[in-house]
Amino acid sequence: MYEIKLHDKHVEKFKEKYPLIFKESVVGYQLLESSDIEEGQLLRLTDSKGKFVATGYYGLQNKGLGWILSNNEREKIDDAFFLKKVYQSVEKRLGLYNNPKTTAFRVFNGEGDGIGGLTIDFFAGSYLINYYSKGIYAFKNQIENAIKKSVEFDAIYEKCRFEDHQEVNDGFIAGKPLTFPITVMENGVKLSIFFNEGGMVGVFLDQREIRKAIRNQYAKGKTVLNTFSYTGAFSTFAAVGGAKSVTSVDLANRSLEHTLKNFELNHISPENHPILVEDVFHYFKFAQKKGLIYDLVILDPPSYAKSKDFTFSAEKDYPTLLADAIKVTSPKGIIVASNNSSNITLEKFKQLVGKGFNLANKRFKIIEVHQLPKDFRTHFKYEESNYLKVLFIQMD
Ligand code: SAH
């Protein structure tokens, strides 16, 4: 165990179970970074007098130096530790396991389930492990064994979301290899999933409640514009919910075939539902010029995006993006505005939305506020883990 000292002013925070080992909390962290300590090393964090505060691991992410694993000096970080964490996380999702209409959800959510840097998702009988640092990847064997002992599975796959790592066999680890895409169900709607196209797998599981609300309450008979549409998951739910037409816009070529696939799985004829491979910012200009108007506009941009002609950063550019969306939304129409930047709080996001409406000189009412669904467990001391904000906004 490698011992590191915390600055006294931060000790209380860790005693109260703050999970992230952030640079400024560690005495001489520059030395730590330049030392030969390897990622995955267990750390004993102490106060200035050398008294135990917590056990953690060294694993570099842009967020910090690693994560706390335990505040109990006697707790060993061994096979049994990982088994207990995974087993407990599975138990907390039994409701989802037992729901035949939903076969895709998060089983283990990083620090919210007690181990930062690690997520595990369930997709129709198979598991996908995401490792966010070399440090947590050092515990790969224990984590895999914990899954094997806790659940039955068709296949287990892994993704390494840190640099210098090349996946072998699409990250296949155990069970029987899958042929991609596979099909999952979400609240009775089918979605196509693949583990072999980089970090994204076809669906963002944290938007499950939003897709359901759009299908059940907002889509029927409406004209819908889904921007940054990716695989058209929102579009599919809107179409299943009886939308008159759904227009999907995404810059990436792959979005076309993926969206068609999701439509096909749900017997949606693409005729009334154009899928455009195009820059959203261009499309807004085109739509304004043509006077196109939609009843429901979905805005779920990435935190940062760069295209040929535009760069977008949520913090800086959300208001202007929203102002563009407002111009193509019908009177009394609805805008679903989503943001997943962990450094933007719900309050701050509401301010950005207010700014957007000011720019467009329009009034609005927030009619629904959504945050993460239950399977995306958050950490009560770490606000950044509660990153998702989705507002259903009505034009007034
Ligand atoms: N809203 C989607 C997920 C969006 S992922 C869903 O929930 O399913 C972000 C998407 O934005 C990517 O597919 C990317 O290709 C697209 N994108 C990024 N910049 C863009 C731009 N300027 N115009 C159109 N699409 C863009």
Side-chain angles (χ1 to χ4, degrees), residues 214-226 234-247 263 268-269 271-274 294-296 298:
I214 287 173
R215 178 192 63 187
N216 292 359
Q217 301 164 49
Y218 291 94
K220 197 159 191 190
K222 304 290 196 221
T223 54
V224 180
L225 173 64
N226 181 16
F234 286 128
S235 308
T236 303
F237 273 72
V240 170
K244 188 155 64 172
S245 91
V246 185
T247 303
F263 283 176
I268 298 159
S269 151
E271 265 158 52
N272 294 329
H273 306 310
Y294 300 89
D295 301 319
L296 175 66
I298 302 165

Side-chain angles (χ1 to χ4, degrees), residues 204 228 230 233-234 250-252 254 278-281 300 302 305 307:
F204 287 90
F228 307 96
Y230 183 40
F234 286 128
D250 195 293
L251 193 57
R254 58 170 189 229
E278 201 183 327
D279 193 309
V280 164
F281 301 97
D300 177 30
S307 66

Side-chain angles (χ1 to χ4, degrees), residues 137-155:
Y137 195 56
F139 299 99
K140 166 184 161 67
N141 287 336
Q142 278 122 311
I143 292 162
E144 281 169 25
N145 283 332
I147 297 174
K148 289 175 187 167
K149 285 191 176 156
S150 300
V151 293
E152 288 176 11
F153 57 88
D154 296 334

Side-chain angles (χ1 to χ4, degrees), residues 225-323:
L225 173 64
N226 181 16
T227 60
F228 307 96
S229 56
Y230 183 40
T231 55
F234 286 128
S235 308
T236 303
F237 273 72
V240 170
K244 188 155 64 172
S245 91
V246 185
T247 303
S248 307
V249 184
D250 195 293
L251 193 57
N253 280 319
R254 58 170 189 229
S255 66
L256 175 61
E257 68 178 289
H258 286 317
T259 304
L260 283 172
K261 175 78 185 172
N262 279 330
F263 283 176
E264 180 196 312
L265 285 175
N266 296 286
H267 312 292
I268 298 159
S269 151
E271 265 158 52
N272 294 329
H273 306 310
I275 304 161
L276 310 174
V277 176
E278 201 183 327
D279 193 309
V280 164
F281 301 97
H282 277 301
Y283 186 73
F284 277 134
K285 292 208 164 46
F286 165 82
Q288 282 166 35
K289 213 158 71 198
K290 295 270 169 194
L292 301 180
I293 293 288
Y294 300 89
D295 301 319
L296 175 66
V297 177
I298 302 165
L299 265 192
D300 177 30
S303 299
Y304 295 97
K306 217 178 158 130
S307 66
K308 205 156 82 287
D309 304 327
F310 301 95
T311 22
F312 174 82
S313 125
E315 196 160 5
K316 202 161 61 50
D317 303 317
Y318 215 105
T320 43
L321 176 68
L322 188 57

Side-chain angles (χ1 to χ4, degrees), residues 326-388:
I326 291 166
K327 290 182 193 136
V328 301
T329 307
S330 64
K332 300 282 169 204
I334 305 280
I335 297 178
V336 178
S338 171
N339 173 264
N340 60 9
S341 319
S342 54
N343 60 338
I344 297 179
T345 60
L346 177 59
E347 280 322 302
K348 167 97 188 163
F349 186 48
K350 285 183 178 167
Q351 284 171 15
L352 293 174
V353 165
K355 265 193 192 168
F357 275 87
N358 272 341
L359 283 176
N361 217 354
K362 293 275 181 198
R363 285 151 48 96
F364 67 102
K365 227 170 32 205
I366 294 176
I367 52 176
E368 281 194 46
V369 178
H370 288 263
Q371 297 209 253
L372 287 168
K374 281 210 182 71
D375 47 330
F376 282 70
R377 285 171 60 81
T378 55
H379 192 288
F380 72 121
K381 284 285 173 187
Y382 185 58
E383 214 186 318
E384 289 89 330
S385 68
N386 198 10
Y387 60 85
L388 185 69

Side-chain angles (χ1 to χ4, degrees), residues 93-105 185-188 208 212:
R93 276 82 173 175
L94 288 181
L96 279 162
Y97 276 104
N98 291 327
N99 176 352
K101 292 200 162 144
T102 296
T103 61
F105 51 88
M185 281 261 259
E186 186 184 271
N187 290 307
R208 184 188 312 116
K212 186 175 172 186

